Amino acid sequence: MLAKLQQDGWYIKPEVVDGLAADVLRSLEKVKERLLNEDLGKVGTAALPENINRAGKLQLKGKFVLQLVSVDDVSRPPQAAGGGKSSSQRLLRVRLQDGPRIVTAAEIRPLHKGVHSALVPGTKMLLQDAPVKQGVIMLEGSMLSVLGGGVGALAEEWEAQQKYMGLTRPSEGDLAPPPFLPFDFSKPLQSG
């Protein structure tokens, strides 16, 4: 079963696959379904080359199921980048994880319609046959697609960040910081 999973891009620790296969009566599709909601940071093994983050030029061949760490539309201001769908002039920076490794990918031409800046961390993505330049995976077309799933703890953390993004401390009333007063070197220090 491990070999079949790897053929489809799933690089999972053997003991995890054995446990899941026993639970779901060795059905490959049921194992994949369960893996969609597992944290690849804990159950995944190295799928991508060890030197991917330092590679000058490299071609990834085959399928890789990776977990979304973050996605940002870097063409928009930071407070607007995380919320909602991106514009047609977007430039996505996608951080993905195979287990031990986190990599950065950049959208150089429009991606599949399901890939957008409001995707929740923990979502599983399928990466196929992509070039790497200067340690960044160059994405276009259908090289990256959404498989789905999620990781509860990662989603909760992301939702909390989205909820409080852009909030600032009150600037009026008792909670406001004192006004800034420049230090005057010509005056003697007062004690007390």
Side-chain angles (χ1 to χ4, degrees):
M1 178 161 303
L2 189 61
K4 288 180 184 177
L5 283 169
Q6 287 180 352
Q7 196 172 23
D8 290 339
W10 293 92
Y11 290 82
I12 307 296
K13 294 176 182 174
E15 62 272 17
V16 173
V17 173
D18 292 342
L20 287 174
D23 285 351
V24 293
L25 302 173
R26 305 202 58 81
S27 164
L28 183 62
E29 292 310 310
K30 295 249 185 227
V31 168
K32 286 183 193 178
E33 196 175 301
R34 293 272 300 273
L35 286 171
L36 285 174
N37 296 312
E38 293 290 333
D39 185 351
L40 292 185
K42 296 178 181 173
V43 303
T45 61
L48 299 169
E50 184 178 342
N51 67 338
I52 190 166
N53 289 318
R54 297 179 308 278
K57 190 173 182 180
L58 180 70
Q59 179 67 36
L60 296 175
K61 296 203 182 289
K63 298 178 180 181
F64 303 91
V65 175
L66 305 172
Q67 180 169 283
L68 181 69
V69 174
S70 66
V71 60
D72 298 301
D73 185 348
V74 295
S75 69
R76 296 173 65 190
Q79 291 178 337
K85 305 269 182 186
S86 297
S87 70
S88 62
Q89 297 297 317
R90 72 183 189 183
L91 174 59
L92 295 181
R93 177 185 59 208
V94 184
R95 296 188 68 228
L96 301 162
Q97 179 176 24
D98 66 355
R101 233 170 253 112
I102 295 178
V103 296
T104 299
E107 176 186 45
I108 56 171
R109 289 196 188 91
L111 285 168
H112 186 269
K113 292 179 184 176
V115 181
H116 52 81
S117 63
L119 284 172
V120 179
T123 302
K124 304 307 177 287
M125 314 283 286
L126 179 64
L127 176 69
Q128 297 183 75
D129 301 325
V132 178
K133 292 183 182 171
Q134 302 304 320
V136 177
I137 300 170
M138 302 294 162
L139 300 173
E140 61 181 85
S142 60
M143 287 178 181
L144 186 70
S145 55
V146 178
L147 296 177
V151 179
L154 298 177
E156 287 172 17
E157 182 181 332
W158 179 81
E159 287 168 3
Q161 285 176 348
Q162 297 303 304
K163 181 178 179 181
Y164 297 110
M165 186 186 322
L167 293 181
T168 58
R169 290 179 55 188
S171 60
E172 297 177 16
D174 293 338
L175 298 176
F180 175 77
L181 298 174
F183 184 73
D184 187 352
F185 289 100
S186 64
K187 293 184 181 178
L189 292 175
Q190 294 176 353
S191 60

